Every structure is written in C-alpha cells, then in structure tokens.
Amino acid sequence: KGTSTIDGIALLVATIKSFLDRGDECPFVLAATHFHDILRQRLLEQSDMLKFWTMDSIMEDANADELVCLYQLRPGTSLSSHARNVAIAAGIPRKIVERGEEASALLRRGLPVGRLHAARHDAIVQQCMDLSAEFLACDLDAISDLRGFVAKITRDVAPSL
C-alpha cells in the first residue's frame, strides 16, 4: 500500500524528535529522505545534534536536462529531487515527464490533477449513455430494431473506440 506523504513526514519528524529528546543518549542516526517539506516548513528545530548533508550535483541552468552528479557528500540541503532530470536520463518520454511536472505544479498549489484527455473521455461516456438510451428504446420483439442497433454500433461506434 504505501504511506501518504503527510503520514510519512509526520512519522519521520516524530522519530527524529524522539531521538533528539534523548539528549546525550541520542544514537547516531543517518536518515535519507525525499520529504523536502520537512526543510521547507522547518518542521525540525535547530539542534547542535542535527546536521544536514546532501549529495553534490551541478546543472548548467535551472532548465537544463543534464544533471551531473558529483558523488560528493557535502554539508547542506537540497530542496529538489531532480526528478525531471533523472526521468529524462532514464529515457522516460518527454511527454510523460512534462505531464509529471504539470501534475506536480498543480499539487504544490493544492489544485486537483485532472484526467488526461478528459474531453475525449467525457465524449465517450456521453456516446455510451446515448447508446444505452437507444438500446432501451428498441423494441426487443422486433428483430429489425435490434439488427439496426447492432449495425449502427458496428458501423459508427466501434471504429472510433
């Protein structure tokens, strides 16, 4: 199943706080996460016992497709997962990457992510509703009505699906 983002963030923050609350008895813990909201929303209080490190990388500019991973651990944080760059490097079609960016932008703004091709989907649903109404209007005792209905579906509807 998987954990929701909010639940995952809450669990990680609570776990880290629990360790920090141990003071001198706090174990050495290495935690890696893609929950950038922990940093953006400052969900963890400053502490001498808490350090942030990140893997270094460079890009020519913010819109560049080429991400160069330097494989160097350095103090600091990263507020980007570089998902776009990783997806492109992995060969994911640009159309899918662009849809992912669009969905991500909508979610960040708290807006719903609509279906792809919603207009086409809605047209197909309407066509099915119309066909259902036509079928229900057929005289089931008159074979010509049924043959006409099946011919219409075969000729007009099936090729468009």
Side-chain angles (χ1 to χ4, degrees):
K1 181 181 171 224
T3 305
S4 74
T5 301
I6 291 172
D7 289 345
I9 289 171
L11 286 168
L12 181 57
V13 168
T15 301
I16 292 171
K17 284 183 177 183
S18 172
F19 285 129
L20 293 173
D21 287 346
R22 294 180 185 183
D24 292 341
E25 300 294 316
C26 179
F28 179 80
V29 177
L30 174 65
T33 182
H34 60 280
F35 292 137
H36 304 292
D37 283 340
I38 291 172
L39 301 173
R40 280 191 201 104
Q41 297 178 25
R42 293 184 172 93
L43 298 177
L44 291 168
E45 295 173 17
Q46 294 265 326
S47 168
D48 290 338
M49 295 190 313
L50 183 63
K51 307 288 184 222
F52 293 100
W53 293 71
T54 188
M55 293 298 285
D56 215 357
S57 61
I58 57 173
M59 285 192 295
E60 291 293 321
D61 62 65
N63 296 322
D65 288 343
E66 189 173 343
L67 171 70
V68 179
C69 296
L70 300 177
Y71 302 101
Q72 298 287 320
L73 190 61
R74 66 168 176 81
T77 61
S78 173
L79 295 179
S80 172
S81 67
H82 302 294
R84 175 185 198 281
N85 306 87
V86 172
I88 290 169
I92 304 294
R94 279 195 187 275
K95 187 174 184 179
I96 294 172
V97 173
E98 289 167 2
R99 172 62 175 161
E101 289 179 307
E102 176 186 306
S104 180
L106 289 168
L107 291 170
R108 277 193 306 274
R109 293 188 343 242
L111 299 172
V113 178
R115 292 187 310 249
L116 279 178
H117 313 296
R120 182 176 177 338
H121 179 270
D122 291 346
I124 290 171
V125 168
Q126 185 59 52
Q127 189 175 29
C128 290
M129 300 277 288
D130 293 346
L131 285 171
S132 297
E134 263 185 71
F135 177 74
L136 292 172
C138 284
D139 180 357
L140 298 180
D141 293 327
I143 195 75
S144 61
D145 272 11
L146 290 176
R147 284 189 180 140
F149 180 75
V150 170
K152 176 182 178 172
I153 291 175
T154 306
R155 180 188 66 242
D156 300 339
V157 178
S160 68
L161 297 177

